[in-house]
Every structure is written in structure tokens, then in C-alpha cells.
Amino acid sequence: MAPAACRSIKPEKLSFDHLFGEIAEMGAIFDVEDRADALIAEQKAALAGVAADTRGLTAVWYSSGTKAPYVGAGSNAPAMIMEALGLENIFAGVDEGWTAASWEAVVDANPDVIVLVDAAWNSAEAKKKLLAENPITSKLDAVVNQRYLVVPFPASEAGIRNVPATVDMAGQLAGLSF
């Protein structure tokens, strides 16, 4: 199990360096160090090409939930990715990987961008519909202006999909108008 997924002890705040270390460790365990090193080099190069947005934008990472949103907090893959993108996570102060929040807290923060986790059981499109139809979230600037970033569910957990997702989301973010 990856340390970031551990529930019995609190792991350190996740970083891309931690992820690269885990890839190297898996390479050593399975005697494929060359392949692991090549993947790490490829991902480091891709990540180096991501320029953090400098507009001071805020964001919420909305994973699931309808009555109350389950969101990325301050210490796991969502936090790591948002930091790389230059987005200020409105739940960064919660020292957990994920947290149950409230719609009122999201509305009070009025994030500039909403990251939507796209899962087969709870699609990004379903989340957009819920946000647009909810009387309080429908007035959020990000909802009114359709300022969404979409990330596939597997890339929302710590692992080898985080760097490609960060690159993709940087492109999405660059295409948003403010």
C-alpha cells in the first residue's frame, strides 16, 4: 500500500519527490530499476514543463458527495497537484488527505476554480449538474462561469497518474477565462 493511502497512521504530506521515491522503490522490489528510472525521468521532465499559474486563484477539489462534498484537503494528491498548478486549495488548512466539508464552507470561500473528479459512479457531468441546480452553489462564480478542471478518478489518488494529470490540468487551467 502506498503511504498516502494508509489509514492506520498519518502519512507525511505528499510531494512529487515522495512519489518518485515510491516508483524507485517498486523498481527495486521488482528488479526493474531501469524502467523505474526511465519513468521517473520522464515524469520529472513533464512536471518541469508545468508553469504554476500566478493569478492567485483559489480552488476546491470536489471528489464526491451530494449532501456534503468530500474534498481534497491539505496533505494528499489533490493538495500536491493544486500546489503545482499554482492554485490555493480552500481546504489546505485541513491536515488530512481528504475531508468531508459543507456546501456552506465552499460557498463562503467562493473558489475561482472547481476541480471535478470524473468517476464512472459519479461523473464530472453529474457534478456540474448538481452544482448548477443546488440553490447555494449555483451562484458560485466558478459554477456561473463554468470554471472547472476535470481529473479522472484514478489520477486523484497518489500514484503514477498524478504527473500526467497535472500536465493535463495545467492545459485546462490555461484555457479558462477570468
Side-chain angles (χ1 to χ4, degrees):
M1 174 185 293
C6 187
R7 299 289 182 241
S8 60
I9 61 163
K10 185 174 178 338
E12 291 181 55
K13 182 175 178 172
L14 188 64
S15 71
F16 285 105
D17 286 338
H18 285 111
L19 285 181
F20 299 144
E22 289 178 16
I23 294 169
E25 183 177 21
M26 290 295 111
I29 290 169
F30 293 103
D31 197 28
V32 290
E33 288 97 338
D34 291 348
R35 289 174 54 195
D37 291 345
L39 177 61
I40 292 166
E42 176 186 313
Q43 290 208 348
K44 282 183 175 183
L47 193 58
V50 172
D53 191 280
T54 58
R55 294 176 280 187
L57 302 173
T58 59
V60 62
W61 186 291
Y62 174 27
S63 179
S64 62
T66 55
K67 292 185 192 235
Y70 192 62
V71 300
S75 65
N76 209 329
M80 175 184 72
I81 292 170
M82 285 190 279
E83 286 174 14
L85 294 171
L87 297 172
E88 180 187 336
N89 179 358
I90 66 170
F91 292 104
V94 177
D95 189 21
E96 297 291 335
W98 300 92
T99 191
S102 70
W103 290 121
E104 291 78 11
V106 173
V107 168
D108 286 348
N110 194 20
D112 299 305
V113 176
I114 300 174
V115 178
L116 302 173
V117 176
D118 192 26
W121 57 91
N122 190 359
S123 71
E125 289 307 313
K127 289 178 178 86
K128 287 179 187 179
K129 186 175 191 287
L130 179 129
L131 291 166
E133 292 176 353
N134 180 319
I136 64 169
T137 58
S138 65
K139 295 180 177 41
L140 288 169
D141 292 339
V143 174
V144 170
N145 295 295
Q146 300 284 298
R147 292 193 303 251
Y148 301 113
L149 303 180
V150 177
V151 61
F153 174 77
S156 67
E157 294 291 340
I160 63 170
R161 293 178 177 98
N162 294 149
V163 170
T166 303
V167 172
D168 179 63
M169 292 169 69
Q172 292 178 55
L173 182 59
L176 295 180
S177 298
F178 292 89

